[in-house]
Amino acid sequence: MATDAGRSAGEGPDLSVVIPVYNEQDSLPVLVEELTRVLDGLEMRSEVLFVDDGSVDSSPEILRRLKKERDPRIRILTLARNSGQSTAFVAGFRAARGGIFATLDADLQNDPADIPSFIASLRDYDMVCGWRKNRRDPWLRRFSTHVSNGFRRFVLKDGFHDTACSFRVFRRECVEGLVMFDGMHRFLPTLVKTAGYRVGEVVVNHRERRYGEAKYNIRNRLFKTLADLFGVFWLRKRWIRCRIKGEE
Ligand code: UDP
Ligand code: MG
């Protein structure tokens, strides 16, 4: 993966928060207020990279205003067209300058107040993933995620409770050199674990969507996610794990 050439010791932020945004105009001011409070309390330099995934509401103007008036740590990356959450994450990772990445949704369902405990867990792990143990979504969403999580665990035997949760904190190395594909954001913990990193989970606070609407539903997720699952199954089977016995 291409990385930012300008990153060097002592320069730039320690933490890059990457947030995909697709039509989240009403959530953004609240999110920035919450995030600013949390980031101010961290002993780290940080940047907040909003990746605007082709929003057609007022999200772009609101982001520009928040950057100017609320928090200069904000950077705004605008994708040419709506490309999906995975693409938005990858664009963000490529532009991010920190040594640690945090990812979360823009719709206020993830609580930025969880970020410090994620960062503390990095003492033992390279990537820490959120687990929405008490998920606040309509029952059909909860049920479909429950079934798909169970099926994924059965097929991949990866042991993760909730890989559909995008709230994660990890060292940038975890995603450097990783195969990136549309849909990969749902398999990131599995892929990073397969690549040999230590991946853990923390229970996170989950909140109801306050504004706007969910972009993903069973119809637009089911078949794509199933195809991706078998793709990841294949990739794990064929992953090259060479152990060098010696060199003379
Ligand atoms: N999102 C995006 N591009 C899309 C769809 C969603 O960047 O094509 C963003 C969205 O704005 C939100 C996050 O991805 O910040 C998760 O989307 P959503 O809340 O709709 O998914 P859910 O939580 O319902 O799975
Ligand atoms: Mg959501």
Side-chain angles (χ1 to χ4, degrees), residues 24 105-110 132 135 137 141 206-207 209 213-215:
E24 305 286 4
D105 291 348
D107 59 1
L108 301 175
Q109 292 205 259
N110 303 135
R132 298 163 296 177
R135 189 170 162 185
D137 268 319
R141 289 292 309 268
H206 194 246
R207 308 181 289 190
R209 199 181 232 283
E213 39 190 64
K215 278 79 196 180

Side-chain angles (χ1 to χ4, degrees), residues 155-156 227-239:
V155 174
L156 297 179
D228 293 344
L229 174 64
F230 288 105
V232 173
F233 176 80
W234 172 86
L235 192 62
R236 270 166 59 98
K237 284 268 172 230
R238 296 298 182 91
W239 199 276

Side-chain angles (χ1 to χ4, degrees), residues 93-108:
F93 297 161
R94 287 181 181 162
R97 294 173 302 175
I100 296 174
F101 292 176
T103 58
L104 70 154
D105 291 348
D107 59 1
L108 301 175

Side-chain angles (χ1 to χ4, degrees), residues 125-138:
Y125 297 103
D126 302 304
M127 170 180 261
V128 188
C129 306
W131 170 15
R132 298 163 296 177
K133 204 167 181 179
N134 184 13
R135 189 170 162 185
R136 307 293 296 271
D137 268 319

Side-chain angles (χ1 to χ4, degrees), residues 52-178:
D52 175 21
D53 186 18
S55 294
V56 290
D57 67 354
S58 304
S59 297
E61 296 80 55
I62 289 172
L63 284 173
R64 266 179 234 125
R65 181 173 58 75
L66 291 167
K67 176 183 166 80
K68 206 165 132 211
E69 294 175 7
R70 294 274 174 246
D71 199 333
R73 287 173 291 207
I74 293 177
R75 294 171 61 198
I76 307 161
L77 209 66
T78 308
L79 299 190
R81 66 174 112 87
N82 179 239
S83 313
Q85 211 178 337
S86 285
T87 306
F89 278 134
V90 173
F93 297 161
R94 287 181 181 162
R97 294 173 302 175
I100 296 174
F101 292 176
T103 58
L104 70 154
D105 291 348
D107 59 1
L108 301 175
Q109 292 205 259
N110 303 135
D111 184 351
D114 284 321
I115 291 177
S117 62
F118 267 110
I119 290 175
S121 302
L122 278 187
R123 272 196 298 263
D124 304 313
Y125 297 103
D126 302 304
M127 170 180 261
V128 188
C129 306
W131 170 15
R132 298 163 296 177
K133 204 167 181 179
N134 184 13
R135 189 170 162 185
R136 307 293 296 271
D137 268 319
W139 76 267
L140 192 60
R141 289 292 309 268
R142 292 203 315 269
F143 178 72
S144 72
T145 305
H146 181 74
V147 172
S148 68
N149 271 324
F151 190 55
R152 171 190 44 78
R153 269 203 303 273
F154 171 73
V155 174
L156 297 179
K157 310 267 184 296
D158 57 8
F160 295 118
H161 289 93
D162 189 15
T163 62
C165 176
S166 309
F167 199 5
R168 305 173 181 123
V169 175
F170 45 96
R171 303 181 204 286
R172 68 182 288 134
E173 304 86 88
C174 293
V175 291
E176 283 174 336
L178 206 65

